[in-house]
Amino acid sequence: MSAPHLPKVAGIDPEVPVSTQTAAPLREIPAAPGAFIQDRLAGWVSDLTTLHELTERLAATATLDAALNELLHAGAALVGARRGLLVLERAGSTTPSTTLGLGLGPADLGHLETVERSATALGRILDGPPEAADARDGIATPDLLGDQDLDPRHREVATRLGYAASYALPLASEAAGRLGGAVWFYDEPGEPSEKQRHLVGLYARYATEHLARLTELERARADIATVAEELLPSRLPRIPGVRLAARHRTGPQGGGDWYDALPLPDHALGLAVGSVGGSGPSAMAAMGRLRASLRAYAVMEGEDPVAVLSDLELLLRLTEPARTATALFAYCEPATRKVVLAGAGHTPPLVLGDRRCEYVETTLSAPLGMLACWEAPSVEFSPAPGETVLLYTDGLLRRTGDAMDRAFARLHSAAASVPKADRHDPAAVTDHVLRAMLPDGLDRSDSTEDVVVLAAHFD
């Protein structure tokens, strides 16, 4: 007799033996194998985005001071600190060092300077060999006050300023070398993580390259400004009956705007402003030659401004035929308050007094070098006692960014708004006009225009 067959239920074969060992109940669903990798990638993307934003902000800085401030703030954000100190000090350079603090006042910086450099991490970075491994990777001091070997003066300053840890990093790269170092201070014991060190190290290397470019650019600008100042009068003459004031600013590339004031025979005074076309060392050299030539012609025949500019035109046409220039020369007799002037394509002077503010009507003329023979009639006028004659170059008008007609109206309005109490001081007049015309300041770095303003106040 055959054995009975067990019924099949729900597709389960009853003949298959059942295991006596059962698995533990499933309490949570395991993560997919790629989730960990995705989290890591998301973290990397976030870090790279942060680093990109910070480097973009740094690249947008156009001056060294702005770049140093941005570096200090960005570094503090990357390492999680609140305060910091940066020293720009290139080894072997004669340029004075630059010190900048974040969250530290002048008194705090003074306290830090009393600590011997060799006793601080920043000092070891600045004075140590560039190839030192700890200098390249940064120096972390996670517990300053707990360090038994800490310099007593350093401990005293840290206690006074209220920081308990620091992280110092060199500002160095292979191309630029070592430019200096930065240190960030923590209020509590701690140190940046490995990821934070990696990010701030990448940022610091990029910042070093940017700082090196800005340093060279500012050095070149300073050299250009020095040369430009040497080509202009070192001081204004003192002539009875007239007081003088001048303001001059050379563009970043060096330009050809100039002015002059020289005493002439019979207690007369020669005033001149001009502009040479182009920019750079070539324009500055041409400006120097043109100014020197005008001085010679003014001494010989200054009472005839037309003759002075005619000689200057001939000289320019024969020696530099490819160059153009504008110029205005005024022959002044302060005792009689008589002014005779002639202009070659230059902007007209402006007369400011208690009862009037108006442009002097000059004859139309082409710039020097534009015609085969230049000659335009001169103009004579007499400033009243207490009036100021303002000479300037068109860089003052162009710096405003307005159309020329609006720039002339703006200059007239600026001169007319000089307070009456300041109208007898030529320096106060020039400063007021510059503030009104250029609210952002005369030294705005993003402008390529030279600016010259020469004021003569007649007593």
Side-chain angles (χ1 to χ4, degrees):
M1 186 173 180
S2 62
H5 293 279
L6 297 176
K8 295 183 178 180
V9 179
I12 299 177
D13 189 352
E15 297 182 358
V16 179
V18 178
S19 174
T20 58
Q21 298 180 357
T22 59
L26 188 63
R27 299 184 182 277
E28 59 182 13
I29 300 175
F36 174 74
I37 298 177
Q38 291 177 356
D39 289 342
R40 291 290 299 272
L41 287 175
W44 290 341
V45 170
S46 176
D47 293 341
L48 290 175
T49 301
T50 300
L51 196 61
H52 175 73
E53 291 176 353
L54 292 177
T55 52
E56 284 289 307
R57 288 172 55 180
L58 180 66
T61 57
T63 64
L64 188 59
D65 288 342
L68 294 177
N69 274 291
E70 180 62 32
L71 191 159
L72 264 181
H73 283 82
L78 288 173
V79 302
R82 187 173 62 89
R83 291 177 290 177
L85 174 68
L86 186 150
V87 176
L88 202 63
E89 185 178 271
R90 171 169 279 181
S93 175
T94 58
T95 305
S97 62
T98 300
T99 302
L100 188 67
L102 171 64
L104 299 170
D108 300 331
L109 295 178
H111 287 306
L112 289 170
E113 290 178 352
T114 64
V115 181
E116 187 177 353
R117 280 173 57 128
S118 61
T120 66
L122 181 59
R124 293 196 295 273
I125 283 177
L126 294 173
D127 298 334
E131 64 275 6
D134 59 346
R136 289 198 308 270
D137 301 333
I139 301 176
T141 311
D143 188 3
L144 273 169
L145 301 182
D147 185 359
Q148 299 300 323
D149 299 327
L150 188 67
D151 180 79
R153 179 57 185 167
H154 193 182
R155 184 186 303 275
E156 180 183 347
V157 171
T159 303
R160 178 188 291 269
L161 300 186
Y163 64 88
S166 67
Y167 178 67
L169 189 67
L171 300 177
S173 69
E174 293 183 3
R178 188 175 60 197
L179 298 185
V183 59
W184 290 275
F185 301 110
Y186 297 89
D187 297 339
E188 302 292 337
E191 61 180 310
S193 64
E194 182 179 353
K195 183 179 75 171
Q196 287 176 319
R197 293 191 189 194
H198 178 66
L199 289 176
V200 76
L202 292 175
Y203 179 80
R205 285 192 289 275
Y206 173 81
T208 301
E209 300 288 345
H210 186 62
L211 291 177
R213 290 191 292 269
L214 289 179
T215 301
E216 294 300 324
L217 181 60
E218 293 212 352
R219 183 179 295 114
R221 288 174 176 173
D223 292 342
I224 288 175
T226 301
V227 173
E229 291 299 326
E230 291 297 325
L231 292 174
L232 295 174
S234 58
R235 62 178 183 176
L236 296 172
R238 294 185 177 181
I239 305 294
V242 64
R243 287 177 289 147
L244 303 174
R247 299 291 183 267
H248 173 257
R249 199 267 184 179
T250 301
Q253 299 177 353
D257 285 16
W258 55 277
Y259 70 94
D260 206 350
L262 66 157
L264 297 176
D266 300 325
H267 305 289
L269 172 69
L271 300 176
V273 290
S275 177
V276 174
S279 61
S282 175
M284 293 175 63
M287 175 261 284
R289 293 191 293 269
L290 202 67
R291 172 177 169 266
S293 301
L294 185 140
R295 289 175 70 92
Y297 298 145
V299 170
M300 293 186 295
E301 48 193 3
E303 68 279 359
D304 186 357
V306 172
V308 172
L309 294 186
S310 296
D311 293 340
L312 204 61
E313 156 71 22
L314 179 61
L315 177 71
L316 188 69
R317 182 156 43 88
L318 293 177
T319 59
E320 301 183 63
R323 193 178 296 278
T324 61
T326 66
L328 185 147
F329 178 72
Y331 177 80
C332 309
E333 295 179 356
T336 59
R337 293 189 304 279
K338 172 185 174 183
V339 178
V340 181
L341 66 87
H346 203 79
T347 51
L350 190 147
V351 180
L352 169 66
D354 293 335
R355 297 185 178 181
R356 65 169 173 170
C357 179
E358 61 187 22
Y359 289 103
V360 177
E361 293 187 6
T362 58
T363 55
L364 295 175
S365 62
L368 302 173
M370 294 290 290
L371 300 175
C373 180
W374 178 91
E375 185 172 335
S378 59
V379 174
E380 181 179 330
F381 68 99
S382 297
E387 289 188 333
T388 300
V389 178
L390 206 65
L391 311 179
Y392 54 94
T393 58
D394 60 358
L396 176 64
L397 305 176
R398 298 184 188 279
R399 182 75 75 89
T400 63
D402 296 332
M404 292 303 288
D405 56 343
R406 294 187 61 184
F408 274 114
R410 187 169 175 177
L411 175 58
H412 183 277
S413 177
S417 65
V418 175
K420 289 188 176 182
D422 295 336
R423 294 190 178 187
H424 296 278
D425 182 358
V429 171
T430 55
D431 291 338
H432 179 91
V433 168
L434 287 173
R435 284 195 302 268
M437 293 288 287
L438 309 174
D440 295 335
L442 189 61
D443 295 325
R444 197 181 70 188
S445 60
D446 60 347
S447 177
T448 59
E449 296 288 347
D450 289 9
V451 174
V452 166
V453 179
L454 176 62
H457 178 81
F458 290 84
D459 296 331

